[in-house]
Amino acid sequence: MKYYFLLIFLIFNFFFIKNTKAQDIPLGTWRTHFNYNSAFLVANSDNNGQIKSYVATQNGFFVMDWANNSLESLSKIDGFAGGQISALAFDNTTKTLVIAYQNSEIDLLQNNKITNITLLRDLSTTNSKKINDITFFQNIAYLATDLGVVVVDLRRQEIKETYQNLGALGENLPIVSCAVASDNNQNRLFLATTQGVIMGNLADNLLDFNLWTRFSLLQGNLSAQNTLKIQALNDKIYAWQNGNGLYQYIFGTNQWQIVNTPNIVLNNMQKDDSKLYLLDNTGKIWSMNDQNIVSLEDFPLVQQPKTLAGQNGKYYIADQKAGFLSNHTNEWRKYAPSGINIGNLGRIHNQNNQIIATTRGFDNLFNAFFNPLGVDFFKNGEWASQNFTQNANINTFRDISGIAYQTQEQSYYISTFGKGIIKLKNDNSTEIINQNTPNTTLVFDANGNLNMTDVKTDKNGDIVMLQSGNLAQNLHIKRKDNTWKGFTAPNPGGFQAKTIFIDQQNYKWILLNPAFGGGLWVVDDRNNRTRVLNTVPNQGNLPDANVNAIAQDADNQFWVGTNKGVAILSTTSRLFGGNVNFFTPIFQNRLLLRSEKVQSIAIDGGNRKWIGTQNGIWLFNADASEVLAFFDAKNSPLPSDNIIEISIEQHTGEVFILTDAGLVSYRSNATKADENFGDIRIFPNPVRPDFIGTVGINGLAENSTVKIVDSAGKLFYETKANGGTASWNLRDYNNVLAETGIYFVYCTDAQGGTSVVKKIAVVK
């Protein structure tokens, strides 16, 4: 026993002190990269004065714990259903956070345990099931939905019943908002609907639509028109109708009374412990006291408030433009975890050995989005933004379509759909490349635009630019000596192409718009050779003209993703003269992914293929004869099955996956390898008792052999590297878990001539 404790002491106080460098996320784990700067919903929990603020953003979710001043992003990785949140509220009686998602799924967070309710999501109906609002009464959550009212028992954590078809004739009636108020021991549920306000006594059988009271101008002095919000404050009920204003229900009279308010177009109506708050669409927030006197509040930083929570003079505001704001510390500040800062993320790029995220410039029909410039760099586990606002030269530029790094100049070239190219230098100064640049082949199109659809840097350091439109030349190359060369597209009368791929031979591959023939346009700019590859046998033999992705693997084979699966070109020897035929690999006696729209292909350090489709992402081995993994929104933290783009940080093996619902990444067990050993790193090291996962060993030479040997010299485990990384699940050949101790890691290159020995400590 003394030996055991001595070993633990030595591990933590000697060996580990030398390994204090922050580790990357473990192999086989995920992390999210969502935008937390556009907040829509906030709900506060209060546990004996210890407040937490839960905030929903455009595609993210996080919690601010005010007691310890900590921010934590929350997602499917933490056990939540994930996806865009449509309603959020906290019940202080049962200490339950209710999270409603756009797909009608419901999460209940109670005592740090998540209960997921899918009954409404799985309900078969042609009507919308969107959840719009949540209110609480006596351990019950009432959810206002487009299908009616869903009643959730928070003690039993289940749906108790639903009030559907609440229209005057028993037809479906969307419920916008809901609130409960009591009078003379009668508890009444008020519903704001698209046909005005209706009221039900909770003592009645509210499954019967005939038992609901419906208000109108004749019966209640309230128009039976769309009611935006209903709110209860101290057993008073208030309803808002844009165009008509604010009304208060007068118990005992069955009448509604107009409340004098300024001319407001309401976004939301909220409350704290003493006041009602009116959030208007101009960024103002008005408060109303118990005497129905309305005053304009002065909340700094607020721009477009969507939701407000408040108590004891402290305010917590979800603002669509300014983010999550609060004066909890007596000073107004914005709070957000690290994440993407771009509001309209559309592309991810791998440039200068880092992942870069940008906005998207144009849609599939080559129409501009008019998105502001947005570039985020992923560095040291954090996102940092490039600030363009201070540069007057480019304040009219919009719609980024591509980005490339020129190593010798230490500059980024950013293509835009409309204004040409921005050269961003390392001192943050900019230079504009357009039709006025000396010697350029760039010219305006018929509309006076420079619609650049992509930019790349080739192996010579030349800048390769792609321009759409009816032009004499659509492919432009700016040499390092500032000379230019242009190439005429196959269909210059209506040329549209969105992507350039540059292969190991420095050939340029352009993915053509299928509306103008599709396929691939290949250019050898040094020898002035070009060719179009399409679906015609011997002229490409592609399975489909819609080519969405292309990649070149370690065996110099070209993998192409189309609307009808994957195709491979094994040689380029006859690329510019002779028969060229892509072939489709066979997997399980079928053409590989033949029924899938393949939208992205990336190849990792182990020569494995990551293939993104509209139905998830596949990981195949080098020749696609074996599926190594498949991820979709059901079995992983992916926020959507629709994979837009995949980019791999080859030195860490982290796979960045852009979906139509946001960006996530997965730490794979393959990295780019060099011929010789690099700085071999083992992570995590030490392996602590709470670690569940796989140990990674990277910095290896390609095809290395790794042997794990215990302190007695006995071989415990042996494996091969995937590229420059090997992995160990902490078990031996008999699936026995490693015990506490120091293990030696012997790494030998493929020739067996070079070996490196490292140590790893395990505490269990």
Side-chain angles (χ1 to χ4, degrees):
M1 183 63 71
K2 290 181 179 179
Y3 169 78
Y4 177 83
F5 285 112
L6 178 60
L7 177 61
I8 298 297
F9 176 81
L10 290 174
I11 287 173
F12 279 100
N13 291 278
F14 173 70
F15 182 82
F16 298 157
I17 289 175
K18 297 184 292 181
N19 291 274
T20 56
K21 183 180 178 180
Q23 303 287 350
D24 296 307
I25 61 172
L27 299 185
T29 61
W30 297 76
R31 59 176 153 188
T32 60
H33 307 273
F34 294 150
N35 185 311
Y36 300 104
N37 295 316
S38 180
F40 292 89
L41 298 164
V42 59
N44 276 7
S45 67
D46 188 350
N47 185 12
N48 297 322
Q50 302 296 310
I51 297 173
K52 292 182 179 180
S53 296
Y54 294 89
V55 182
T57 67
Q58 186 176 32
N59 63 356
F61 182 39
F62 68 89
V63 58
M64 177 68 193
D65 188 337
W66 297 103
N68 57 29
N69 197 36
S70 67
L71 279 166
E72 181 184 2
S73 60
L74 305 172
S75 69
K76 292 173 71 174
I77 297 172
D78 306 291
F80 293 93
Q84 190 169 355
I85 296 173
S86 63
L88 184 67
F90 186 85
D91 178 46
N92 272 311
T93 303
T94 61
K95 305 298 181 186
T96 303
L97 179 72
V98 181
I99 310 160
Y101 299 91
Q102 291 282 1
N103 69 349
S104 304
E105 212 162 340
I106 302 165
D107 275 341
L108 306 179
L109 177 61
Q110 190 179 100
N111 297 323
N112 294 320
K113 179 183 177 183
I114 302 168
T115 300
N116 181 241
I117 299 175
T118 60
L119 186 62
L120 183 61
R121 182 201 69 184
D122 297 337
L123 182 65
S124 179
T125 177
T126 57
N127 295 320
S128 168
K129 299 176 288 185
K130 182 186 174 187
I131 301 170
N132 303 305
D133 194 22
I134 304 169
T135 196
F136 304 105
F137 185 71
Q138 294 182 348
N139 306 326
I140 298 294
Y142 295 92
L143 278 59
T145 81
D146 285 354
L147 200 63
V149 179
V150 175
V151 183
V152 179
D153 187 326
L154 297 179
R155 296 292 189 195
R156 299 173 64 89
Q157 298 190 327
E158 63 184 17
I159 292 178
K160 180 181 178 182
E161 56 190 356
T162 59
Y163 308 145
Q164 298 184 55
N165 302 320
L166 299 181
L169 300 176
E171 74 277 15
N172 180 65
L173 180 62
I175 311 301
V176 180
S177 179
C178 56
V180 176
S182 301
D183 177 63
N184 292 327
N185 297 319
Q186 297 295 312
N187 305 316
R188 294 180 173 89
L189 176 63
F190 291 80
L191 306 179
T193 81
T194 56
Q195 298 176 9
V197 175
I198 65 175
M199 177 185 71
N201 192 324
L202 291 177
D204 292 339
N205 176 20
L206 295 183
L207 297 172
D208 185 349
F209 75 96
N210 290 300
L211 297 181
W212 290 80
T213 299
R214 293 169 175 80
F215 297 101
S216 66
L217 290 176
L218 295 177
Q219 295 178 322
N221 192 37
L222 184 67
S223 175
Q225 72 174 51
N226 184 42
T227 304
L228 182 65
K229 183 74 175 182
I230 200 155
Q231 188 66 267
L233 178 63
N234 300 327
D235 280 330
K236 294 179 181 179
I237 285 289
Y238 297 89
W240 183 278
Q241 294 180 338
N242 275 341
N244 293 332
L246 182 65
Y247 289 81
Q248 179 186 347
Y249 181 69
I250 308 301
F251 284 99
T253 68
N254 219 29
Q255 295 287 307
W256 292 83
Q257 177 179 298
I258 189 73
V259 177
N260 185 30
T261 61
N263 185 19
I264 295 173
V265 178
L266 195 74
N267 270 334
N268 205 348
M269 183 164 57
Q270 302 279 265
K271 66 176 181 179
D272 63 8
D273 43 10
S274 62
K275 292 182 181 180
L276 198 69
Y277 294 88
L278 307 174
L279 286 61
D280 75 17
N281 67 352
T282 66
K284 295 185 177 70
I285 299 178
W286 307 79
S287 66
M288 189 182 75
N289 62 18
D290 58 0
Q291 301 300 313
N292 288 358
I293 298 174
V294 177
S295 304
L296 180 63
E297 294 283 350
D298 181 20
F299 290 153
L301 307 180
V302 169
Q303 297 183 51
Q304 193 172 337
K306 303 297 289 186
T307 315
L308 176 148
Q311 58 191 96
N312 301 322
K314 305 297 184 183
Y315 297 95
Y316 313 84
I317 299 173
D319 191 293
Q320 186 172 347
K321 289 185 177 180
F324 174 55
L325 309 172
S326 179
N327 67 339
H328 184 90
T329 61
N330 298 318
E331 177 186 1
W332 280 95
R333 285 184 53 196
K334 173 184 174 180
Y335 298 87
S338 174
I340 290 283
N341 294 300
I342 297 170
N344 298 292
L345 174 61
R347 296 288 308 276
I348 51 174
H349 316 262
N350 197 334
Q351 293 289 322
N352 194 24
N353 295 321
Q354 64 183 333
I355 299 297
I356 304 173
T358 67
T359 50
R360 188 180 175 203
F362 53 92
D363 63 19
N364 291 330
L365 298 176
F366 288 80
N367 297 311
F369 282 121
F370 302 105
N371 285 325
L373 299 181
V375 178
D376 279 6
F377 299 89
F378 190 65
K379 300 177 180 178
N380 302 318
E382 301 281 338
W383 287 96
S385 293
Q386 175 64 41
N387 185 0
F388 293 102
T389 59
Q390 304 301 318
N391 197 317
N393 293 331
I394 57 174
N395 57 12
T396 61
F397 281 63
R398 298 288 185 272
D399 295 323
I400 292 176
S401 57
I403 187 167
Y405 186 72
Q406 215 287 350
T407 304
Q408 290 80 11
E409 298 175 358
Q410 296 184 30
S411 297
Y412 288 96
Y413 285 77
I414 303 169
S415 59
T416 70
F417 196 71
K419 295 277 188 179
I421 305 287
I422 300 168
K423 180 180 178 181
L424 178 64
K425 303 176 184 178
N426 61 358
D427 62 358
N428 282 330
S429 64
T430 58
E431 175 185 332
I432 298 172
I433 299 173
N434 56 23
Q435 77 287 349
N436 297 320
T437 300
N439 304 317
T440 186
T441 52
L442 293 172
V443 294
F444 278 135
D445 64 17
N447 297 315
N449 295 321
L450 290 169
N451 289 333
M452 313 306 298
T453 59
D454 200 10
V455 60
K456 291 287 192 299
T457 309
D458 73 9
K459 300 187 183 310
N460 296 320
D462 297 339
I463 308 302
V464 185
M465 295 163 273
L466 193 60
Q467 183 181 10
S468 73
N470 185 359
L471 304 165
Q473 296 171 324
N474 295 96
L475 182 67
H476 310 272
I477 300 177
K478 175 183 173 292
R479 308 291 190 196
K480 286 193 297 183
D481 62 3
N482 288 322
T483 60
W484 285 70
K485 188 174 184 62
F487 288 85
T488 302
N491 297 299
F495 179 78
Q496 291 177 342
K498 60 183 179 180
T499 304
I500 306 167
F501 172 76
I502 301 176
D503 68 17
Q504 295 297 323
Q505 293 176 271
N506 227 15
Y507 298 156
K508 285 72 180 175
W509 300 67
I510 293 92
L511 281 60
L512 300 174
N513 186 349
F516 297 94
L520 292 160
W521 176 32
V522 192
V523 177
D524 174 6
D525 60 293
R526 290 294 175 176
N527 297 298
N528 296 319
R529 297 183 296 174
T530 71
R531 185 170 185 178
V532 172
L533 304 175
N534 51 37
T535 58
V536 177
N538 300 324
Q539 299 298 321
N541 198 36
L542 290 164
D544 190 78
N546 292 271
V547 179
N548 307 308
I550 183 171
Q552 187 177 14
D553 71 7
D555 299 320
N556 290 322
Q557 294 190 118
F558 291 86
W559 292 68
V560 168
T562 77
N563 279 11
K564 295 182 180 178
V566 176
I568 300 173
L569 182 65
S570 57
T571 179
T572 58
S573 61
R574 296 185 298 275
L575 188 58
F576 296 102
N579 295 339
V580 175
N581 289 290
F582 281 82
F583 72 91
T584 302
I586 303 298
F587 175 71
Q588 294 182 348
N589 299 318
R590 299 179 61 188
L591 298 177
L592 182 66
L593 301 177
R594 65 177 181 179
S595 60
E596 297 275 4
K597 181 180 179 181
V598 175
Q599 301 186 133
S600 185
I601 300 176
I603 297 168
D604 67 19
N607 204 26
R608 306 178 306 179
K609 279 64 184 180
W610 295 80
I611 301 178
T613 74
Q614 290 183 321
N615 297 302
I617 185 169
W618 301 77
L619 172 60
F620 289 94
N621 65 348
D623 62 0
S625 62
E626 180 184 357
V627 176
L628 304 178
F630 172 75
F631 301 117
D632 62 11
K634 296 183 182 65
N635 70 2
S636 77
L638 283 172
S640 166
D641 291 342
N642 190 7
I643 310 301
I644 305 300
E645 201 162 7
I646 307 167
S647 189
I648 302 175
E649 211 299 288
Q650 297 288 357
H651 292 89
T652 65
E654 193 164 1
V655 182
F656 288 77
I657 306 165
L658 178 63
T659 77
D660 60 355
L663 177 67
V664 297
S665 62
Y666 173 80
R667 183 67 184 271
S668 78
N669 60 351
T671 55
K672 183 179 180 181
D674 295 322
E675 291 184 8
N676 303 312
F677 289 111
D679 179 18
I680 296 177
R681 192 160 58 89
I682 302 173
F683 56 95
N685 192 12
V687 178
R688 302 181 186 276
D690 59 349
F691 177 74
I692 300 174
T694 302
V695 171
I697 306 158
N698 69 7
L700 301 173
E702 191 166 6
N703 297 320
S704 296
T705 298
V706 175
K707 297 181 179 181
I708 311 294
V709 177
D710 64 20
S711 57
K714 179 182 177 182
L715 179 64
F716 194 80
Y717 184 74
E718 182 175 338
T719 188
K720 286 277 191 181
N722 273 320
T725 295
S727 56
W728 178 36
N729 65 358
L730 296 173
R731 296 179 181 273
D732 68 5
Y733 296 105
N734 299 313
N735 204 35
V736 176
L737 189 65
E739 296 179 350
T740 295
I742 302 295
Y743 291 79
F744 296 89
V745 182
Y746 291 86
C747 311
T748 307
D749 65 15
Q751 291 73 37
T754 303
S755 295
V756 176
V757 181
K758 293 287 184 178
K759 296 178 183 179
I760 180 172
V762 177
V763 181
K764 287 295 180 183

